[in-house]
Amino acid sequence: MEEGVARRLEALVERLAAAGWLTQGRVRTALRDVPRHAFVPPVAWTGEGDRVDRATAPERWLDLVYRDDAIITQLDDGRTDVATGNGRFTSSCSAPSTVVSLLELLDVEAGHRVLDVGTGTGWTAGLLSRMAGADNVTSVEIDPLVSARAAESLKGAGLSPRLVVGDGGDGWADGAPFDRVHATCGVSHVPYAWVRQTRPGGVIVTPYAPGFASSHELRLVVMPDGTAVGRFTGHASYMMMRSHRQPPWPTSGDEGAKSATQIDPRTIGYAPAGADLAMGGFLPGVNARGHHQDDTYALRLWSTQAWATATYRPGQRDYEVRGDRNLWDEAVRAYFWWVAQGSPPRDRFGLTVAPGAETVWLDSPTNPIQS
């Protein structure tokens, strides 16, 4: 199997480089020195439903491991046996391209003190250990069983970062100050503990998913005044930190007042990432998700205090809206604000994080989006 691992690993490295994901030599070295298969469970699944058992199909298992796909490692927070493949995905070994993209944004040097939020399988903690030195890496995982399995895999790979069981949103104050904070789970907002525990000039990289459809890569630099400022650099879809998951859809969501709109709900629901950032900036705490059923499309908007649904049906001249707050009109105003700005793409937006608040801005922190 070792020859097969080396061949597949090298092919993966070359694919990532050719696609433009992999440009830094230290990340390339880490990928070669910390092979992914050492962190993948014997029964592997992709999000598309491919299942391979190492015991019965070792070559196919290796093929899957060295594809550029996320591999599901936990269902329903561990309540469902992952071997069944039936349940909500709650932990994974992230796709190599997304791992590499975040690591290159992090810009880790030897000797940097790194906080890794979301240990998962331990693969990323292993890569960071190779890049910064295992003694400098602290990885926090909320699930004790997941952390224990990661510890075994890391030990097998000859790596020994500090592993902590706890809520990654709290960071790890005992290890502060950090030079780098790296998250392998999505957050709906940036925990200020991460900023507080990072030295000025330090970098925070995280998947950012405030709830308005798109998920984003975010790179922040911590400032001497205790804020953090940075830009959205690309797409990053990760499973959410448990405490940052979306609130449930209100159970009374079909009983609100009915009105009409001329705006096709798909205009808002299918809007690109830049529009999503604008709408999320104007409507903090509001979630947006579209649902298809046959020819009908319904866009749901909701927070812990309010909800609205805008529905498209074929042949309608106006579209139906129901809700207990005018979230729909607020989203429409935000969308057309974005259009009036010239439909700016994602990379023109950024974020400032301060104690108790965060602000989305366009082009410059001096041009904030005010909700």
Side-chain angles (χ1 to χ4, degrees), residues 7 9 12 23 26-27 43 51 60 84 93 114 132 134 140 146 164 202 208 211 243 249 265 341 360 364:
R7 173 172 49 81
L9 175 55
L12 174 64
T23 66
R26 57 185 175 276
V27 178
V43 176
R51 178 187 188 276
R60 285 190 60 225
T84 67
C93 187
V114 182
V140 182
V146 171
V164 175
Y208 181 82
S243 58
W249 173 250
Q341 302 305 306
V360 177
S364 166

Side-chain angles (χ1 to χ4, degrees), residues 57-360:
E59 294 299 314
R60 285 190 60 225
W61 182 85
L62 277 177
D63 287 341
L64 177 60
V65 168
Y66 286 103
R67 273 170 32 189
D68 188 20
D69 285 319
I71 294 175
I72 308 307
T73 57
Q74 187 190 68
L75 300 172
D76 300 323
D77 295 331
R79 294 186 299 274
T80 300
D81 183 357
V82 72
T84 67
N86 297 314
R88 181 176 61 171
F89 302 158
T90 53
S91 190
S92 71
C93 187
S94 301
S97 58
T98 59
V99 170
V100 165
S101 183
L102 290 178
L103 288 178
E104 295 216 343
L105 286 174
L106 198 65
D107 203 23
V108 174
E109 298 285 355
H112 274 158
R113 294 176 60 81
V114 182
L115 173 65
D116 176 49
V117 177
T119 309
T121 64
W123 184 42
T124 304
L127 295 169
L128 289 167
S129 296
R130 177 64 180 82
M131 296 168 69
D135 291 346
N136 296 312
V137 176
T138 299
S139 187
V140 182
E141 170 60 50
I142 197 168
D143 190 312
L145 292 179
V146 171
S147 182
R149 286 194 292 268
E152 293 178 4
S153 297
L154 286 160
K155 182 179 179 181
L159 299 166
S160 55
R162 179 183 290 107
L163 301 185
V164 175
V165 176
D167 187 342
D170 296 331
W172 195 62
D174 289 352
F178 294 100
D179 300 287
R180 298 290 187 268
V181 176
H182 172 276
T184 60
C185 52
V187 296
S188 60
H189 62 275
V190 177
Y192 187 73
W194 297 356
V195 180
R196 187 172 57 246
Q197 294 171 20
T198 303
R199 69 175 75 251
V203 174
I204 299 170
V205 172
T206 183
Y208 181 82
F212 228 95
S214 297
S215 299
H216 317 272
E217 283 182 340
L218 173 63
R219 185 183 192 271
L220 299 166
V221 176
V222 175
M223 308 296 284
D225 65 359
T227 64
V229 180
R231 287 186 178 271
F232 300 101
T233 58
H235 173 73
S237 181
Y238 276 70
M239 295 170 194
M240 296 297 288
M241 183 182 290
R242 291 188 185 183
S243 58
H244 287 229
R245 291 172 180 167
Q246 289 181 329
W249 173 250
T251 56
S252 60
D254 293 326
E255 301 171 4
K258 181 179 177 181
S259 60
T261 178
Q262 292 182 307
I263 309 301
D264 187 332
R266 295 170 296 183
T267 300
I268 306 301
Y270 296 168
D276 284 340
L277 282 168
M279 290 186 285
F282 279 108
L283 285 80
V286 174
N287 303 282
R289 287 293 180 271
H291 300 267
H292 287 276
Q293 184 172 358
D294 299 326
D295 292 333
T296 299
Y297 174 81
L299 178 67
R300 289 177 169 180
L301 306 171
W302 79 101
S303 68
T304 55
Q305 293 85 29
W307 67 273
T309 301
T311 304
Y312 161 85
R313 294 185 179 89
Q316 283 183 310
R317 296 184 63 183
D318 292 319
Y319 304 103
E320 179 182 291
V321 180
R322 289 182 179 270
D324 62 354
R325 172 184 155 194
N326 219 336
L327 290 179
W328 171 252
D329 283 355
E330 293 177 38
V332 167
R333 283 196 295 271
Y335 173 80
F336 284 106
W337 174 90
W338 172 78
V339 173
Q341 302 305 306
S343 304
R346 174 175 16 220
D347 60 7
R348 286 182 56 191
F349 289 89
L351 190 75
T352 297
V353 182
E358 63 181 34
T359 305
V360 177

